[in-house]
Amino acid sequence: MSGFPILSLMLAVPAVAAIVCLFAGDKMARFVALGATLATFVLGCILWANFDVGGAQWQFTERADLFGRFQYALGIDGMALMLIMLSVFLMPLCILASWDAIKSRVGLYMAMFLIMEVVMIGVFMAQDLLLFYIFFEAGLIPMYFIIGIWGGANRKYAAFKFFLYTLLGSVLMLIAMIAMIGEAGTTDIPTLLNYDFPAAMQTWLWLAFFASLAVKMPMWPVHTWLPDAHVQAPTAGSMILAGVLLKLGAYGFLRFMMPMFPDASGQLMWIVFGLSMVAVVYTSLVALVQSDMKKLIAYSSVAHMAIVTAGLFAFNQQGIEGALIIMLSHGVVSAALFFCVGVIYDRLHTREIDRYGGLAKNMPAYSIFFMLFTMASIGLPGTSGFVGEFLSLAGIYEASSWVAFVCTTGIILGAAYMLYLYRRVVFGELTKDDVKAMPDLNAREWTIMVPLAAVALWMGVYPESFLAPMRGDVTTVVARLAPAKPAGDARLAAGKPRAAEAHGETAHGSAHAGGVQ
């Protein structure tokens, strides 16, 4: 594989297909989009198969000088590899989910999804700071159109809110990047990862990056664009928004803020912990009272991503590895849950929970898949959710037992709102005639459900497949953060054994005492 530009090819395939889709008929556009996304997925599998676990940190690198300091520089490490795999895995499923649901401007719709794929995997491949920023911001444009053209009744409001929120924070990040390039004299990300910025400058840079990435995550209180965007977006739009776009913020924390500004991260971690604790409890309680299924799952996403941010800022191996597994797990499971909502929405055209009930009787296969994804969202052992949450909470506990305690209450509340949703939709009496008439999953829906279920179980049963490529990169980040890591309040060290001489004296003393008796 050395010398073969596989990363450029992965960007080129969907980009060329997007142009073809713009000029193709509706039926042709669907097949072109599906073919291109499957081809990109196959390239992703080849990438994973050829990735050398334990080898060089940056692999498959490609470089070409463009102008000034700006480079076309691509390369991946283990963390980027796993997030690229998540993106290319979900994309063909999103195209299939839109197969019948999208009736108007199909070519444009498919082109938007393919452009979205280019910019998402471009974010994870970029090795140049400005190239990263271009990909990072370009993702706004296709998502804005997907919500604004093919969304629900209130789509324009949701699209504008999504665009304005995410754009405003990003302007600050751009200013910070320009300052970084001026200070370090390079746009090369691997070089910047080892550059020591002055302590005072780190604080300002950290805050500027935080303003942008917190909105992308999203963190409380800048999360309000997310429920609106999810509710108005078409099913596949919600799947890719929850599945991959929310992970860009966490990737930014892990790639930029923590290793590039370690001192500031150590001093300001209380901000992240504070906001994460509020988010876990508050958004879980808000989810509990929702009547719209999509809104409930959207709020649950904010709660899950709050555990990710707390895990990342635990500054230890378990916390960061757990956060990465939650990102992958949530990417698969939340996409699956939004698809589950889409399946019954296509049949009844309402997302109101109270309109359903008793689906176990006439949609048994659907009910089983929905149960599996509900359990994975809660974190049942054997599913992907458990591994990430267990590792994260172990790491968070080491950093702060109070933060771990609050985050655990979020998991308990998560079980409450997800099981409450499931009970109302799937169990109960089947009394409504229109619900009685709903058919079970068709072949296309089975084709989407089975891979999602398989990956959720694979990640839960054998997480090492996903952890192994990332372990070396996490160790590098932890080592970089070690000097700035504050002391945790957890008493994890075992008691020290008593010295041998003391044992000897005690034994001698007791023997002597025994002799006197």
Side-chain angles (χ1 to χ4, degrees):
M1 287 300 292
S2 63
F4 182 73
I6 187 168
L7 299 184
S8 290
L9 187 61
M10 287 179 75
L11 293 174
V13 169
V16 171
I19 297 165
V20 173
C21 281
L22 285 172
F23 300 102
D26 288 2
K27 189 175 181 184
M28 176 80 170
R30 291 187 178 103
F31 282 104
V32 168
L34 183 60
T37 50
L38 285 171
T40 315
F41 175 61
V42 170
L43 286 170
C45 294
I46 295 168
L47 194 69
W48 192 357
N50 284 279
F51 186 83
D52 180 15
V53 176
Q57 182 181 3
W58 304 104
Q59 300 182 25
F60 307 102
T61 51
E62 300 171 29
R63 290 190 179 272
D65 288 324
L66 295 176
F67 50 86
R69 291 174 182 163
F70 187 54
Q71 279 189 319
Y72 174 76
L74 303 179
I76 58 164
D77 62 355
M79 296 185 292
L81 171 72
M82 286 293 105
L83 289 162
I84 289 168
M85 285 309 300
L86 174 67
S87 309
V88 296
F89 168 69
L90 288 177
M91 220 55 203
L93 303 179
C94 287
I95 301 296
L96 278 174
S98 319
W99 205 260
D100 295 333
I102 302 299
K103 304 272 195 295
S104 65
R105 302 194 201 175
V106 176
L108 181 62
Y109 178 88
M110 294 301 170
M112 287 299 154
F113 262 88
L114 290 162
I115 293 167
M116 178 83 78
E117 180 167 35
V118 174
V119 296
M120 285 186 319
I121 59 180
V123 165
F124 304 129
M125 291 175 181
Q127 294 258 284
D128 182 275
L129 202 57
L130 295 174
L131 190 65
F132 167 84
Y133 185 80
I134 290 165
F135 280 130
F136 189 77
E137 288 311 303
L140 288 180
I141 299 162
M143 198 68 213
Y144 171 78
F145 285 119
I146 288 165
I147 297 170
I149 298 175
W150 296 278
N154 207 10
R155 58 186 181 268
K156 287 186 179 157
Y157 166 77
F160 272 113
K161 193 171 181 183
F162 161 74
F163 195 83
L164 289 173
Y165 260 78
T166 39
L167 188 67
L168 284 173
S170 300
V171 173
L172 292 170
M173 185 166 82
L174 179 61
I175 296 167
M177 284 180 170
I178 293 165
M180 286 162 69
I181 296 164
E183 169 70 26
T186 179
T187 58
D188 185 54
I189 289 174
T191 309
L192 288 166
L193 284 172
N194 296 307
Y195 186 87
D196 294 316
F197 289 96
M201 187 179 184
Q202 275 191 36
T203 306
W204 291 109
L205 293 173
W206 191 94
L207 289 168
F209 268 79
F210 185 69
S212 172
L213 299 174
V215 176
K216 276 270 204 247
M217 280 291 291
M219 292 178 74
W220 181 89
V222 286
H223 67 286
T224 54
W225 63 268
L226 185 70
D228 290 321
H230 270 313
V231 167
Q232 299 305 324
T235 299
S238 289
M239 286 169 71
I240 209 69
L241 179 59
V244 185
L245 287 179
L246 300 192
K247 312 301 173 281
L248 300 185
Y251 177 76
F253 279 146
L254 201 48
R255 176 66 76 232
F256 298 96
M257 284 171 65
M258 292 160 62
M260 290 184 188
F261 323 128
D263 299 334
S265 296
Q267 288 162 2
L268 300 171
M269 68 195 294
W270 58 271
I271 298 177
V272 178
F273 279 157
L275 294 178
S276 298
M277 287 194 291
V278 173
V280 166
V281 178
Y282 169 74
T283 53
S284 297
L285 291 171
V286 173
L288 208 49
V289 298
Q290 293 304 317
S291 60
D292 181 304
M293 281 187 258
K294 265 193 165 182
K295 253 195 174 151
L296 190 149
I297 299 166
Y299 279 112
S300 84
S301 290
V302 183
H304 279 102
M305 295 312 285
I307 297 176
V308 170
T309 44
L312 291 176
F313 277 81
F315 286 13
N316 54 44
Q317 192 86 16
Q318 294 101 315
I320 296 175
E321 282 185 2
L324 281 159
I325 290 289
I326 293 183
M327 283 159 66
L328 298 174
S329 163
H330 178 263
V332 172
V333 172
S334 65
L337 286 169
F338 278 116
F339 180 65
C340 285
V341 175
V343 166
I344 50 177
Y345 179 78
D346 286 345
R347 287 159 172 72
L348 208 61
H349 297 290
T350 176
R351 287 183 300 267
E352 290 299 313
I353 297 169
D354 296 338
R355 285 285 285 110
Y356 296 94
L359 288 183
K361 294 186 178 67
N362 63 331
M363 296 181 74
Y366 170 82
S367 302
I368 290 168
F369 279 117
F370 194 8
M371 169 63 90
L372 171 66
F373 298 129
T374 300
M375 290 303 165
S377 177
I378 294 167
L380 184 77
T383 63
S384 55
F386 172 74
V387 180
E389 285 175 357
F390 183 82
L391 278 170
S392 286
L393 289 168
I396 295 166
Y397 179 77
E398 194 182 314
S400 167
S401 51
W402 280 108
V403 178
F405 171 73
V406 174
C407 287
T408 311
T409 61
I411 290 170
I412 296 162
L413 288 168
Y417 60 70
M418 286 310 296
L419 290 173
Y420 185 41
L421 166 71
Y422 190 80
R423 186 183 72 76
R424 287 180 290 170
V425 172
V426 173
F427 296 135
E429 288 306 311
L430 187 58
T431 52
K432 303 176 183 79
D433 291 334
D434 49 0
V435 178
K436 273 184 194 170
M438 286 165 61
D440 208 350
L441 299 176
N442 60 33
R444 178 180 59 85
E445 289 159 350
W446 270 95
T447 311
I448 298 167
M449 289 287 200
V450 169
L452 289 165
V455 172
L457 290 170
W458 176 17
M459 213 181 285
V461 173
Y462 192 67
E464 182 61 15
S465 307
F466 304 90
L467 283 168
M470 301 191 288
R471 189 164 286 128
D473 307 313
V474 174
T475 308
T476 307
V477 173
V478 171
R480 176 84 170 142
L481 291 166
K485 180 181 176 181
D489 69 346
R491 301 279 177 265
L492 295 176
K496 289 197 174 96
R498 296 170 70 182
E501 302 86 81
H503 279 296
E505 282 167 24
T506 314
H508 178 73
S510 57
H512 182 70
V516 171
Q517 286 173 348

